[in-house]
Amino acid sequence: MDSDQMHPLAMSGKDPSMLRGDPIPKERYFSKEFMDLEWEHLWKKIWHIAGREQQLEEPGDFIVHDFMRESVIIAKQNDGSLKGFYNSCGHRAARLVWDNSSLDSFFCPYHGWKWGLDGVLEDCPDRDDYPQGDPVGKLTLKEVRVDTWAGLVWYTMDAEAPELEEYLEPTVELYKNHQFEKTVRVNWWRTALDGNWKFWSDNFNESYHTRTVHPQVPPIIDQDHFTSRYEMFPMGHNRIIQMGRPSLRDRLPDGDSHPFDDLLRTWDIDPDSYPDFETKALQGWLDLKKAKKSLWKEKGYLHYENLNDEELTESPFQVIFPNIAIAPGADSFLVWRWEPHPTDPEKCFFDQWTMAYPVEGMEEFVNRTAINTLELSEAELDLREYDDGRGISEYSDQVVAQDMQLIAGQTLGWRSQGYPEPYMAAQETRVRRFHEVLNDYINGEPPGRK
Ligand code: FES
Ligand SMILES: [Fe+2]
């Protein structure tokens, strides 16, 4: 695909000469000092995802998002708006709530101060015992800024951060044809892992590893770097658009059942009508677009209504700097989020949220790169310890479970005296870009600030 389809704000994500070429010192993967710099200059500045809007339906519903040693509450107000607060009592700092729930007010377990949903102190014992003045109606919990996009609830601790839409630029515009708010979270999975959080930023910023680590993917999503489009945006976000057809370099042995055949059949196309594999991959892919455009309504794929040719079949994958990835496909919206451990630079947490669109008559969902079906209904949080893979055995069919197997080895490798610096291919340019934007934050010069 040629570059004239690139977004006007995008730099080519295949061209390392667009970048400064900063060194990527390996200490950033295990140094406590670098972890402290990240807290100060990165995590306090960015927009975080707290959860999904569906978790905040009624006034009083709230999400607690713990991030390193910080914790925030995002609460639905009586007027339907959202407000966010630090989860620390204004009396003497006790943590107010520990988990997502629904309450009329926040009652501090220490001395019984009662904070309203709007963060204003509603009541406290012995109100007349304050020589400096009655705190009721006067003191408020300290706020964080809250906004929403894609059915997701976001917040930032930084009063100076750009507005969410500007921070995400041009993400909101890129996916305006999708209806993310209508999706159902069919899988809500969080795993604690041994390894620095940037493992995931690096891993998700290249597809060079896919053939080795995820051999099941190329037959269904073309992994060839020369047929894919790579974009790097000014705010630090990177994306790749891969074609939703088999890679011609990853032909399965003749006679093997092919997952692309099943996809064609779903859309009433006979996979045996093509003379050879190449024609099926290339012409079948075009026929698939046509079939989806003419049959979406009658087959109940109402969320296809505004999707264009590219969006109907291709596989976009975007890293939202620094710790979120999204895959906004035609049939699903996957969100991954990875977060540092509060104190140990060699531990992290990893979340996968699989969101699927409801299709009439469909009760199960299976992601195109996975095997196991998932019930098409809202899932509960499933917390896991990785434990050398034993803790996530039910998820072993998921692509990211294959990535998880690599963290332990790379974590040791980063500490080895034998490893000096990465030596990267052009198709790993987005990895380099990630580190340069990280350096900008650490140096107090994040993009998009005056
Ligand atoms: S710390 Fe909350 S009431 Fe005292
Ligand atoms: Fe991977």
Side-chain angles (χ1 to χ4, degrees):
M1 183 162 287
D2 43 80
S3 59
D4 58 6
Q5 291 180 47
M6 292 229 309
H7 188 276
L9 280 178
M11 291 190 284
S12 165
K14 292 179 179 175
D15 184 0
S17 73
M18 308 289 290
L19 301 177
R20 297 187 297 258
D22 293 2
I24 305 177
K26 60 187 189 171
E27 288 74 20
R28 61 182 47 197
Y29 295 101
F30 50 81
S31 133
K32 185 76 178 61
E33 288 69 38
F34 197 79
M35 183 184 198
D36 293 342
L37 288 172
E38 287 172 343
W39 166 248
E40 206 52 42
H41 297 288
L42 178 72
W43 302 120
K44 284 163 77 172
K45 305 285 177 190
I46 64 156
W47 282 87
H48 298 261
I49 294 180
R52 299 184 76 220
E53 282 187 82
Q54 276 88 337
Q55 293 169 257
L56 301 172
E57 281 183 334
E58 303 295 329
D61 292 354
F62 62 88
I63 295 170
V64 176
H65 185 227
D66 296 334
F67 187 93
M68 297 181 76
R69 279 182 272 203
E70 191 55 273
S71 178
V72 303
I73 306 167
I74 315 286
K76 182 92 157 186
Q77 303 295 296
N78 289 318
D79 68 0
S81 65
L82 301 180
K83 268 183 190 278
F85 315 102
Y86 291 99
N87 190 1
S88 170
C89 181
H91 177 228
R92 276 176 42 210
R95 188 157 282 200
L96 292 169
V97 279
W98 293 88
D99 211 347
N100 305 345
S101 188
S102 189
L103 289 168
D104 296 332
S105 56
F106 302 106
F107 183 81
C108 180
Y110 200 166
H111 310 90
W113 282 29
K114 193 175 135 196
W115 302 89
L117 279 182
D118 60 356
V120 180
L121 186 66
E122 280 179 351
D123 198 9
C124 77
D126 302 331
R127 288 172 59 174
D128 54 1
D129 189 37
Y130 288 88
Q132 68 277 49
D134 181 356
V136 173
K138 193 170 81 180
L139 292 201
T140 56
L141 296 173
K142 189 168 171 357
E143 284 193 39
V144 296
R145 293 165 62 198
V146 180
D147 204 346
T148 58
W149 172 69
L152 304 169
V153 178
W154 302 70
Y155 73 92
T156 179
M157 305 173 205
D158 184 7
E160 309 295 321
E163 293 297 328
L164 178 63
E165 182 164 351
E166 197 185 324
Y167 172 86
L168 293 174
E169 189 183 58
T171 310
V172 176
E173 178 203 336
L174 287 176
Y175 307 113
K176 63 181 186 309
N177 296 339
H178 293 265
Q179 303 178 34
F180 301 131
E181 297 78 8
K182 295 194 177 157
T183 55
V184 178
R185 177 160 54 183
V186 295
N187 158 238
W188 179 5
W189 163 31
R190 181 172 181 84
T191 294
L193 293 148
D194 290 338
N196 186 267
W197 67 275
K198 291 185 290 297
F199 166 84
W200 292 103
S201 308
D202 294 349
N203 181 267
F204 280 153
N205 268 306
E206 50 94 354
S207 292
Y208 185 43
H209 71 276
T210 305
R211 281 196 171 77
T212 310
V213 181
H214 316 296
Q216 77 277 28
V217 174
I220 194 80
I221 301 171
D222 183 355
Q223 296 299 304
D224 289 327
H225 66 89
F226 44 84
T227 58
S228 309
R229 196 164 88 236
Y230 296 20
E231 297 168 316
M232 304 192 296
F233 299 108
M235 297 300 281
H237 317 306
N238 298 322
R239 76 167 180 163
I240 178 168
I241 306 280
Q242 294 173 318
M243 302 305 117
R245 67 181 182 219
S247 161
L248 299 182
R249 280 208 282 178
D250 298 274
R251 183 180 178 142
L252 292 178
D254 283 337
D256 272 24
S257 84
H258 201 291
F260 191 60
D261 291 2
D262 298 333
L263 183 60
L264 293 173
R265 282 192 205 100
T266 304
W267 291 92
D268 302 348
I269 300 167
D270 176 9
D272 299 324
S273 63
Y274 301 97
D276 51 45
F277 172 74
E278 283 73 17
T279 313
K280 181 163 69 181
L282 296 173
Q283 186 57 44
W285 169 66
L286 297 174
D287 293 344
L288 189 59
K289 289 174 190 288
K290 262 189 248 157
K292 285 186 164 190
K293 272 197 287 196
S294 61
L295 299 176
W296 63 273
K297 207 168 198 175
E298 92 185 47
K299 287 191 179 285
Y301 287 65
L302 303 181
H303 54 284
Y304 281 13
E305 186 173 8
N306 303 315
L307 299 185
N308 62 31
D309 268 28
E310 176 169 305
E311 291 160 343
L312 281 169
T313 51
E314 272 43 305
S315 174
F317 190 91
Q318 177 169 339
V319 176
I320 296 176
F321 182 89
N323 67 325
I324 293 162
I326 57 172
D331 296 308
S332 59
F333 176 44
L334 281 102
V335 174
W336 297 272
R337 179 183 67 178
W338 49 101
E339 297 181 329
H341 183 272
T343 54
D344 187 342
E346 291 177 292
K347 288 182 190 294
C348 68
F349 300 99
F350 182 82
D351 299 285
Q352 174 172 289
W353 302 350
T354 304
M355 269 84 79
Y357 288 93
V359 173
E360 209 184 299
M362 200 183 277
E363 278 161 18
E364 288 182 325
F365 172 81
V366 59
N367 189 38
R368 64 177 152 178
T369 55
I371 298 163
N372 300 334
T373 52
L374 297 161
E375 194 183 315
L376 227 167
S377 62
E378 284 288 337
E380 299 282 319
L381 172 62
D382 190 0
L383 271 174
R384 303 285 176 133
E385 287 284 336
Y386 181 64
D387 187 23
D388 277 337
R390 287 182 291 269
I392 60 149
S393 54
E394 289 89 340
Y395 292 111
S396 56
D397 70 317
Q398 299 290 308
V399 168
V400 293
Q402 296 168 312
D403 297 301
M404 286 179 185
Q405 295 177 9
L406 301 161
I407 300 187
Q410 206 177 12
T411 296
L412 291 168
W414 279 318
R415 281 189 177 267
S416 169
Q417 298 170 79
Y419 176 72
E421 254 271 318
Y423 184 90
M424 291 195 283
Q427 60 187 294
E428 294 172 288
T429 297
R430 290 167 296 139
V431 177
R432 190 168 284 290
R433 159 85 167 154
F434 163 78
H435 287 277
E436 297 201 354
V437 178
L438 175 60
N439 291 345
D440 292 342
Y441 271 88
I442 298 294
N443 294 328
E445 294 168 348
R449 313 274 177 130
K450 311 298 173 289

